Amino acid sequence: MKRLLPVLMGFVFLLLDSTKGWSLPPCEGSPTTKHYVYKNWTNCEGTLTYNDGDKYVGEWKDGSHHGQGTYTYANGDKSVGEFKDGSFVDAGSTAISLKPDSSIAQDKRGSPFEVELPSEGLPPRTITDVTTILTQASLKETDSVQNARETITKVVPANAGDSALTQFYVDRAEAFWRLAMMTESIESLKKAAKHVKEAWFAPEGGAMRIHASLAYAQIWGGVFSDGIKSLETALGVVPPNYYGWFVQLTSDLTLSLAYVGDINGAEKWIQIAREHYETFLKFDYKQDYKNAVAANMFSAEGSFAFAKGKYSEAENFYAKAVRKKKETDGWEENEFLISLLAHLAETQRELGKLVDSELTARESLFQSIKVLGVNNPYTGFALRELAKTLNEQGRPEEAEVVGQEAVAIFRKQGAPSESLVYAGAIESLAISLTLQNKYKEAYRLTSLGTTLAEAGLGSDAEGMKRVIITTHINFAIAALMSGNYDRAEEILTRRLKNQRKIFGENHYRTAETLALVGVLKFRRELIDQARSAFKVALPLLSQHAVDD
């Protein structure tokens, strides 16, 4: 569904221009390096120095760079001029986005495929290159995949002790992961966790790493709430001097909870992560390790900002995370970079930067295929994000092709039905069907995806059943247009509550949902209720134009 953009923003800019002659008061606590200080800055001038050496001096609003300012990067580069909601703005008053020739552009070194993205310019206007690469890659396997297939054929060594068995099951779990056999990977890691506890000799931090790996496998391909518990278990066995791991695990708890909309839980862990990161920076680690930990921290910050609807801030953090990851040794073969790029593509899409989003999603996809091959959860995840961006561009037919590929990957490799990533692939496919007016088929997939997401989220005392699938406006449309009015009302009620909480009553996304509520009430012949919904929603929507 195309985004609606304001058409009356010119009046706002006129008002802003009329105030430029007035100087703002200094921000309380400036200069600072502390998030809890600058998050409250608004309508003031202040200086913030980031832990990685970047520095911003200028005007602030609602805890973000907003107004005139100077952003100085650690390498000496500068962005001088106007900022808006955390992003630098060019003379055309459009937020400057990441270009294909920037530091996050596609790296083509060592690509085993004949078709590659151009290093600069617009992305191809078809997905022929994507389908070609998928076909080529399906006919060959990377060395890591071949090694994984060999590993899973090995039998348990005779008379092996707990230490040897721990390593055996860790190797086996990694091999299953490479093959996207997530259920088997989870079971192998559970066995490794059992044996490492009984081992007479285990490397320092061994239990921590096993529980962390188990958590990632559960989050990617199992019950989400189990993954959260495993991360907390890993955090409880971190050796005292492993400061980087404290940052990584608390960051991962943040981004995992933010992913499912648990903002309160994410806020708790991001505060802890920030404290650990400040401690980590006091020690003289190698720069490569500092870059890796910084990438984790910035990724968590990006996820937290995204969950709060602060997309410009999220884009800034994700872009910094990508840059830091690309400054580490061996980044070309790194799996974490794949998901970082996918999250960046998602954020750019929310900002309406659809060309940048497509370029970034393609880079994530090709990075995954190059490193891991086709049949793995990362490739399915990257395909999902590309499909969503194609939908936003008004290309649902192509998005359907890409979405089918993503779903096929998870089905082929036997991904467990409760996998949230699998449910997300179904989500993107259902959206493309909705946009092609294939409402009944879309609704069928919606129902399936909802069931999978509920199983994947699990349940706990925090009330983790925030079903991502049912909050999407396109699913509400599928239910509404296929005549499933009760389901449509359930979806819209939940979405409206979430939108009001995140964006407020007067935001166009809230108005979109409220307008659909009006359509639903009209179809149910509840004319007075329909009129009441339209009375609030339509004036807000009239201030926006369709973003082509």
Side-chain angles (χ1 to χ4, degrees):
M1 176 169 291
K2 297 180 179 179
R3 299 294 183 195
L4 296 177
L5 294 177
V7 295
L8 300 180
M9 286 304 292
F11 294 105
V12 177
F13 289 128
L14 286 175
L15 289 173
L16 291 175
D17 288 340
S18 68
T19 65
K20 286 184 178 179
W22 300 84
S23 60
L24 296 174
C27 299
E28 183 177 358
S30 175
T32 188
T33 60
K34 309 293 186 182
H35 176 268
Y36 65 82
V37 174
Y38 76 80
K39 72 176 183 179
N40 296 317
W41 287 355
T42 191
N43 297 326
C44 60
E45 292 185 356
T47 299
L48 169 68
T49 301
Y50 291 93
N51 289 324
D52 64 347
D54 289 2
K55 182 178 182 179
Y56 173 76
V57 180
E59 298 174 351
W60 291 78
K61 183 179 180 181
D62 297 329
S64 295
H65 318 149
H66 193 92
Q68 295 298 310
T70 299
Y71 194 105
T72 305
Y73 294 91
N75 64 4
D77 293 343
K78 290 186 178 182
S79 296
V80 181
E82 186 178 353
F83 290 76
K84 184 175 184 293
D85 296 329
S87 291
F88 183 57
V89 176
D90 65 10
S93 73
T94 301
I96 290 180
S97 55
L98 298 163
K99 301 302 180 184
D101 57 350
S102 72
S103 61
I104 69 156
Q106 180 200 3
D107 180 85
K108 300 193 290 184
R109 289 173 288 178
S111 173
F113 309 115
E114 297 172 6
V115 179
E116 296 175 325
L117 277 178
S119 60
E120 56 183 88
L122 296 175
R125 290 295 83 199
T126 70
I127 58 166
T128 301
D129 61 321
V130 173
T131 54
T132 300
I133 288 176
L134 288 170
T135 300
Q136 292 174 354
S138 66
L139 299 176
K140 62 181 73 174
E141 291 185 336
T142 63
D143 291 341
S144 63
V145 170
Q146 292 174 352
N147 292 336
R149 294 196 185 282
E150 181 180 343
T151 297
I152 65 174
T153 63
K154 296 179 180 178
V155 297
V156 179
N159 301 320
D162 286 303
S163 296
L165 288 172
T166 298
Q167 189 61 55
F168 173 81
Y169 285 115
V170 166
D171 293 341
R172 193 170 178 83
E174 291 178 353
F176 282 130
W177 177 280
R178 291 283 178 178
L179 299 173
M181 301 171 70
M182 305 305 294
T183 300
E184 292 84 352
S185 181
I186 290 169
E187 291 306 311
S188 293
L189 285 166
K190 286 180 178 178
K191 292 177 180 178
K194 178 181 177 181
H195 285 292
V196 76
K197 187 185 297 184
E198 303 296 330
W200 282 99
F201 174 77
E204 186 179 38
M208 170 197 71
R209 289 183 173 87
I210 290 171
H211 285 291
S213 296
L214 174 59
Y216 303 141
Q218 289 168 327
I219 288 171
W220 274 90
V223 177
F224 184 87
S225 55
D226 289 347
I228 295 296
K229 292 174 183 175
S230 294
L231 280 175
E232 292 173 342
T233 300
L235 190 60
V237 292
V238 177
N241 59 333
Y242 277 45
Y243 301 109
W245 272 92
F246 280 117
V247 177
Q248 177 175 327
L249 292 173
T250 51
S251 295
D252 288 339
L253 279 163
T254 299
L255 63 89
S256 298
L257 293 170
Y259 178 70
V260 294
D262 187 352
I263 296 177
N264 291 333
E267 185 168 20
K268 166 192 168 183
W269 285 111
I270 195 66
Q271 296 291 0
I272 297 173
R274 289 165 183 158
E275 293 171 6
H276 284 308
Y277 189 53
E278 288 187 11
T279 301
F280 169 80
L281 291 173
K282 295 176 181 178
F283 294 88
D284 188 25
Y285 290 103
K286 291 182 179 180
Q287 188 59 47
D288 187 67
Y289 187 47
K290 286 183 178 180
N291 290 336
V293 173
N296 278 97
M297 188 68 221
F298 291 143
S299 176
E301 293 281 11
S303 298
F304 183 53
F306 187 94
K308 294 189 298 181
K310 295 186 175 182
Y311 300 125
S312 293
E313 185 178 329
E315 182 192 29
N316 183 42
F317 277 121
Y318 279 133
K320 290 173 74 171
V322 169
R323 286 197 295 269
K324 286 297 180 183
K325 199 63 188 176
K326 286 192 172 183
E327 291 172 6
T328 60
D329 292 338
W331 67 265
E332 299 92 336
E333 303 298 321
N334 192 271
E335 298 170 1
F336 181 45
L337 179 61
I338 300 167
S339 59
L340 275 180
L341 289 165
H343 287 307
L344 178 58
E346 180 182 23
T347 307
Q348 291 167 332
R349 185 172 63 246
E350 290 294 335
L351 289 168
K353 300 177 180 179
L354 300 183
V355 172
D356 288 347
S357 178
E358 183 181 351
L359 285 165
T360 307
R362 283 169 175 268
E363 181 183 359
S364 175
L365 173 61
F366 295 164
Q367 173 80 4
S368 182
I369 294 174
K370 181 177 69 174
V371 175
L372 301 171
V374 171
N375 295 313
N376 72 86
Y378 285 97
T379 299
F381 185 53
L383 281 167
R384 181 189 92 171
E385 291 307 314
L386 178 57
K388 287 184 175 181
T389 296
L390 293 172
N391 277 325
E392 289 291 313
Q393 291 178 344
R395 301 161 65 186
E397 295 84 0
E398 292 175 301
E400 181 181 357
V401 174
V402 174
Q404 292 281 12
E405 292 281 0
V407 170
I409 286 173
F410 291 108
R411 287 177 175 167
K412 180 179 179 181
Q413 293 301 312
S417 61
E418 66 267 24
S419 165
L420 280 184
V421 185
Y422 178 33
I426 293 175
E427 170 198 6
S428 64
L429 177 57
I431 293 171
S432 65
L433 295 172
T434 300
L435 295 177
Q436 296 177 72
N437 301 328
K438 300 177 181 179
Y439 297 119
K440 290 185 178 180
E441 189 176 354
Y443 181 73
R444 180 185 61 79
L445 279 176
T446 300
S447 300
L448 172 61
T450 299
T451 302
L452 299 184
E454 286 176 340
L457 285 171
S459 61
D460 59 25
E462 298 294 324
M464 291 275 290
K465 278 196 174 182
R466 295 170 175 81
V467 183
I468 304 165
I469 298 257
T470 60
T471 63
H472 201 293
I473 197 168
N474 288 295
F475 293 144
I477 295 172
L480 176 61
M481 299 303 292
S482 60
N484 293 279
Y485 295 149
D486 289 342
R487 189 60 166 154
E489 185 155 7
E490 176 188 345
I491 296 169
L492 289 171
T493 299
R494 180 179 297 175
R495 177 179 172 83
L496 188 60
K497 180 180 178 180
N498 289 344
Q499 299 299 76
R500 282 171 170 162
K501 181 178 179 180
I502 296 174
F503 299 109
E505 189 71 41
N506 297 320
H507 197 279
Y508 82 92
R509 293 189 182 178
T510 306
E512 279 181 336
T513 306
L514 189 57
L516 279 177
V517 170
V519 174
L520 173 63
K521 298 299 183 183
F522 182 82
R523 288 203 167 206
R524 286 188 149 174
E525 299 183 357
L526 300 171
I527 305 303
D528 289 341
Q529 293 182 36
R531 185 181 292 113
S532 177
F534 288 138
K535 185 176 180 180
V536 176
L538 294 182
L540 293 171
L541 292 177
S542 69
Q543 300 177 44
H544 298 75
V546 176
D547 179 15
D548 293 325

